[in-house]
């Protein structure tokens, strides 16, 4: 058991005595001061709190005249819970209830002998794991998630209010937007960090500015972790978003006017795959492929015939609204036959790929692009993986080809998330996202709704609300929104409605699964979706669902 101990000049004598006594039985880390010269209590509180926050020490002990300044300073650290105790009873209770891990003592209030008894009691008392106390400790740690940006309350109340509103919305509603997720606190800490202050044009070790060693370290971590996580030969973590990641691949490989064969937007593709209103559609010759009109799934034989006929420079697979597994091995065969570059945009399924819940495109594709904020659950950003032979062309396409300085704070957050995904817990999460999606999809389907392609293999499904109930996706999404369930309207293959109205809605389970929801909750939510859509104009149903949904999500805290 490791105990970090520190004091100010008023507590230094008591500290020396305690260090001596505690060394018999504990590993004691004396953080100073060494003598009675006047000093600032905060410095020693920070040293001890850092050891406890990082896990270098199991417990901390801090001593000053009253113990109050020490507890204030230490409590500013995440995962530190400092308690000022002057009795053994207080030490017992604060361990049990608050899970205190730093003990603050008043040098004036306790005798050396009693101080020792308080410490021994403190470290010997286990934390009470019952639900009631666990819940309160969790609330203490999260402070309703507003402590993250509480400085803004005073510095910029208007911006603070926008953040507070988003926090309330996340806490109260069920988010089923298939392209969204909920980031971890660690990810947000990196994204909001001082790394945003640095200009770092270039790449680690080859920058155009001085002073880049800290950001080099962060970016190198992101690159190597991305390669390790996905088994890739090379990674570029600088693209600001998924569209920029796609742009980088086009710029690295083909010329304006060259042909790209891609799934069109209204079939589930993405704007940056060649929509006429997007740069991709303006610069390149886009030939769209469609899903099979009957199965609403990719028809690989048809894609092969088309590829051999149009001879594209790039065959692009990957989608924003495709609920089925993609056969990347088959796509590789097509690319080999047609002699084109295989590019996969796994923006939506990156988390499923990382967690082994969807086959990986990485062994097959020349380039794999992604966002880092969808199923992957990281900061908003882009990522490109490629074979080593493309590394140089890709890196120059990103910088200086299309971007200036990279967002090193966001890159650090990407690194954090890649590391999170190396845990077994995350692998279980990816499987659960898919299981949850299948269950919710079936619940809605069993209520008489037509599901595009008849089901789902991944984190999303599409409901044909037009065919099922004669309503538009727009009206369906609005009714669900009023009931506290957030989805988006979405075109379905061969849609007869405009993209503004649509015949479908897209439903995804990544975010709800991040909150810890499982199959029973999916059945409830699927039932509510059907209840609301069955009674599209009935506001009493919407109000009832909104109440029930709010009660449900209260048990599934947002990280
Ligand atoms: C979301 C998405 C992107 C890009 O998203 P950005 O908003 O540019 O980050 C690219 N491709 C696909 C398939 C997507 O779903």
């Amino acid at each position: 058991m490791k105990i970090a101990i520190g004091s100010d000049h008023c507590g230094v004598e008591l500290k020396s005595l305690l260090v001596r006594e505690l060394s018999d039985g504990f590993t004691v880390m004396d953080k100073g001061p060494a003598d009675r010269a006047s000093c600032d209590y905060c410095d020693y509180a920070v040293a001890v709190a850092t050891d406890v926050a990082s896990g270098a020490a199991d417990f901390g002990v801090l001593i000053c005249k009253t113990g109050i300044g020490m507890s204030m300073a230490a409590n500013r650290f995440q995962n530190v819970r400092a308690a000022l105790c002057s009795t053994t009873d207080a030490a017992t209770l604060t361990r049990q209830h608050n899970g205190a891990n730093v003990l603050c003592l008043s040098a004036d209030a306790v005798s050396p002998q009693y101080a020792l008894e308080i410490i021994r009691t403190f470290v010997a008392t286990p934390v009470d794991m019952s639900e009631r106390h666990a819940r309160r400790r969790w609330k203490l740690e999260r402070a309703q998630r507003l402590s993250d940006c509480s400085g803004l309350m005073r510095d910029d109340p208007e911006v603070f209010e926008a953040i507070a509103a988003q926090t309330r919305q996340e806490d109260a509603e069920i988010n089923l937007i298939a392209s969204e997720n909920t980031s971890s606190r660690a990810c947000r800490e990196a994204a909001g960090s001082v790394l945003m202050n640095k200009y770092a044009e270039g790449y680690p070790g080859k920058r155009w500015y001085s002073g880049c060693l800290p950001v080099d370290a962060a970016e190198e971590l992101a690159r190597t972790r991305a390669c390790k996580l996905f088994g890739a030969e090379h990674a570029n973590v600088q693209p600001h978003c998924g569209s920029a990641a796609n742009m980088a691949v086009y710029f690295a490989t083909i010329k304006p006017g060259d042909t790209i064969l891609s799934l069109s937007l209204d079939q589930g593709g993405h704007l940056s795959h060649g929509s006429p209103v997007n740069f991709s559609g303006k610069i390149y010759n886009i030939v769209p492929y469609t899903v099979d009109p009957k199965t609403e799934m990719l028809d690989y034989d048809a894609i092969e015939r088309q590829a051999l006929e149009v001879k594209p420079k790039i065959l692009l697979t990957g989608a924003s609204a495709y609920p089925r597994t993609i056969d990347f091995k088959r796509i590789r065969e097509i690319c080999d036959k047609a002699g084109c570059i295989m590019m996969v945009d796994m923006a939506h399924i990156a988390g499923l790929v990382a967690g082994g819940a969807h086959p990986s495109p990485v062994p097959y594709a020349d380039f794999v692009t992604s966002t880092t904020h969808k199923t992957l659950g990281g900061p908003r950003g882009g990522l490109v993986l490629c074979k080593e032979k493309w590394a140089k062309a890709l890196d120059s396409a990103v910088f200086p080809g299309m971007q200036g300085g990279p967002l090193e704070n966001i890159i650090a957050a990407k690194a954090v998330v890649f590391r999170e995904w190396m845990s077994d817990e995350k692998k279980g999460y990816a499987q659960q996202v898919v299981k949850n999606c299948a269950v919710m999809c079936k619940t809605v389907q069993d209520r008489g709704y037509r599901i595009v392609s008849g089901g789902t293999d991944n984190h999303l499904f599409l409901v044909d609300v037009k065919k099922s109930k004669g309503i538009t996706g727009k009206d369906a999404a609005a009714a669900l929104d009023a009931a506290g369930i957030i989805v988006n309207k979405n075109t379905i293959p061969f849609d007869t409605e405009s993209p503004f109205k649509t015949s479908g809605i897209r439903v995804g389970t990544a975010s709800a699964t991040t909150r810890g929801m499982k199959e029973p909750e999916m059945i409830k939510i699927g039932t509510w979706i059907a209840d609301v859509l069955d009674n599209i104009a009935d506001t009493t149903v919407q109000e009832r669902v909104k109440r029930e949904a709010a009660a449900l999500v209260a048990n599934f805290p947002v990280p």
Side-chain angles (χ1 to χ4, degrees), residues 266-282:
D266 59 352
Q267 296 263 324
H270 187 257
L271 273 174
S272 59
H273 295 183
S275 160
V277 297
N278 183 263
F279 81 90
S280 51
K282 292 178 183 171

Side-chain angles (χ1 to χ4, degrees), residues 179 240-244 246 268-270 272-273 318-321 345-348 369 371 373-374 380-382 506:
S179 51
H240 299 329
C241 63
S243 300
N246 288 337
H270 187 257
S272 59
H273 295 183
S320 300
D345 180 346
M346 64 167 183
H348 260 263
T369 58
T371 56
H373 50 267
K374 297 180 180 173
R380 307 200 74 77
R506 187 180 64 162

Side-chain angles (χ1 to χ4, degrees), residues 109-397:
V110 291
S111 69
Q113 216 36 54
Y114 195 49
L116 202 58
E117 213 180 309
I118 295 174
I119 297 174
R120 291 196 194 283
T121 305
F122 187 82
V123 301
T125 307
V127 178
D128 182 334
M129 299 309 283
S130 64
E131 197 278 330
R132 170 171 59 127
H133 291 301
R135 182 184 69 238
R136 290 170 188 161
R137 281 193 299 274
W138 181 84
K139 284 193 175 177
L140 176 72
E141 208 54 57
R142 304 300 297 120
Q144 308 214 327
R145 302 206 294 144
L146 290 181
S147 60
D148 285 353
C149 50
S150 48
L152 280 173
M153 288 180 187
R154 190 176 292 196
D155 296 339
D156 192 332
E158 290 159 299
V159 168
F160 175 77
E161 184 42 40
I163 297 171
Q166 170 74 14
T167 307
R168 285 194 297 272
Q169 178 174 300
E170 289 183 1
D171 285 345
E173 295 180 334
I174 300 175
N175 179 11
L176 302 177
I177 305 264
S179 51
E180 292 182 8
N181 207 330
T182 310
S183 54
S184 68
R185 188 173 197 153
C187 165
R188 294 196 299 273
E189 282 187 7
S193 71
V194 294
L195 294 174
M196 76 174 66
N197 296 338
K198 195 70 199 102
Y199 240 117
E201 286 176 346
Y203 291 95
K206 283 174 282 179
R207 306 282 196 185
W208 292 84
Y209 288 85
S210 305
C212 285
L213 287 181
V215 295
D216 275 7
E219 187 167 343
E220 201 47 59
L221 282 171
R223 293 206 295 196
T224 47
R225 286 177 183 176
C227 287
K228 184 162 173 227
L229 177 62
F230 291 107
E233 291 176 13
H234 179 76
N236 189 308
V237 292
Q238 292 193 358
H240 299 329
C241 63
S243 300
N246 288 337
M247 181 187 268
V249 175
Y250 307 147
F251 282 13
T253 54
I254 59 176
K255 287 198 281 301
D258 281 349
T259 301
I260 300 173
L261 183 58
S262 62
L263 186 64
S264 59
L265 180 61
D266 59 352
Q267 296 263 324
H270 187 257
L271 273 174
S272 59
H273 295 183
S275 160
V277 297
N278 183 263
F279 81 90
S280 51
K282 292 178 183 171
I283 299 182
Y284 303 106
N285 174 39
I286 304 296
V287 179
Y289 58 89
T290 65
V291 295
D292 180 278
K294 276 216 191 63
T295 62
E296 294 169 302
M297 296 190 209
L298 293 177
D299 177 345
Y300 298 96
D301 294 338
I303 296 171
E304 177 171 318
R305 280 194 299 275
Q306 203 177 359
L308 292 174
E309 189 189 308
V310 305
K311 300 206 181 325
K313 284 270 164 59
I314 292 177
L315 171 54
L316 172 49
T317 21
S320 300
Y322 185 68
R324 295 302 188 167
T325 301
I326 300 176
D327 185 348
F328 297 121
K329 186 160 172 283
R330 180 79 179 87
I331 296 284
R332 176 78 255 174
E333 289 163 10
I334 298 171
C335 292
D336 286 343
K337 277 191 196 161
C340 62
I341 290 167
M342 174 174 172
M343 171 176 174
V344 175
D345 180 346
M346 64 167 183
H348 260 263
I349 56 169
L352 306 185
V353 170
H358 189 291
S360 172
V362 175
Y364 303 107
D366 297 285
F367 291 91
V368 176
T369 58
S370 186
T371 56
T372 47
H373 50 267
K374 297 180 180 173
T375 48
L376 206 56
R380 307 200 74 77
L383 166 72
V384 187
L385 306 170
C386 70
K387 300 280 184 248
E388 190 57 47
K389 68 166 182 174
W390 291 108
K392 232 175 143 238
L394 172 68
D395 286 353
S396 344

